Amino acid sequence: MEPRFGAGAVLVGLLPGQDPAVLQCAAALAAATGAELVAAYVDPGSYLIEWDPRGDVVAESLNRALDPEDDAASAVVELRPLLDRAASAVGLRSNFHVLGGDPALALGRLAGVLQCAAIVVGARRPGVLAGIDEVLAGSVVHKLLATQHIPVLAIPRVDAH
């Protein structure tokens, strides 16, 4: 692995209601390394259909069209202003993507296409339902660590201790 800090964007995975520390840490890392801040919301209820025979993702899958009635559209309405405020607070440019499919795989694909320097995600949400979801679907953090060749930074929840 060749380090790319300063040469690639910092990608942060965002969710509605997420601990603000995740975005703040990603913005601080991007500012410290002189990188662009890229955020992505992954809608696990949708999936990619534009695959080519080699298994690559066609570029359109990385910026899917939103139906105004879709949950992803309401997430964008909530998350985009948070990203803009966090980026402008530290003098950064930012970019926002809406992805579909498995969150870890979608973030990894975007990081690869953009040649990101790091991926920043939040640690597991608290609660029984989040724990059941992690058992059934797997941990995004663990999947990223197992599949990526760039640093993955997991930000623990403030209320986790």
Side-chain angles (χ1 to χ4, degrees), residues 10-11 28 36 56 68 77 83 159-160:
V10 172
L11 172 60
E36 179 183 10
D56 294 333
V77 168
L83 172 64
D159 59 1

Side-chain angles (χ1 to χ4, degrees), residues 5-99:
F5 282 122
V10 172
L11 172 60
V12 59
L14 296 180
L15 291 170
Q18 184 176 42
D19 187 340
V22 176
L23 181 53
Q24 292 166 355
C25 287
L29 177 61
T33 59
E36 179 183 10
L37 180 62
V38 176
Y41 166 74
V42 183
D43 179 8
S46 66
Y47 54 90
L48 301 177
I49 58 171
E50 300 96 4
W51 293 89
D52 77 6
R54 295 175 308 192
D56 294 333
V57 178
V58 175
E60 290 81 22
S61 289
L62 296 175
N63 284 305
R64 68 184 191 84
L66 294 177
D67 177 348
E69 302 297 318
D70 192 0
D71 288 341
S74 61
V76 171
V77 168
E78 178 182 336
L79 296 172
R80 183 65 205 219
L82 297 175
L83 172 64
D84 292 342
R85 280 195 298 275
S88 66
V90 292
L92 294 175
R93 291 181 329 175
S94 65
N95 204 338
F96 189 76
H97 297 266
V98 177
L99 309 174

Side-chain angles (χ1 to χ4, degrees), residues 103-105 107-108 119 121 139-148 152:
L105 297 177
L107 290 172
I119 301 172
V121 292
S139 164
V140 172
V141 173
H142 289 124
K143 282 184 183 179
L144 283 169
L145 289 172
T147 60
Q148 295 308 300
V152 175

Side-chain angles (χ1 to χ4, degrees), residues 1-5 149-150:
M1 175 179 82
E2 187 174 316
R4 291 192 300 231
F5 282 122
H149 300 287
I150 62 172

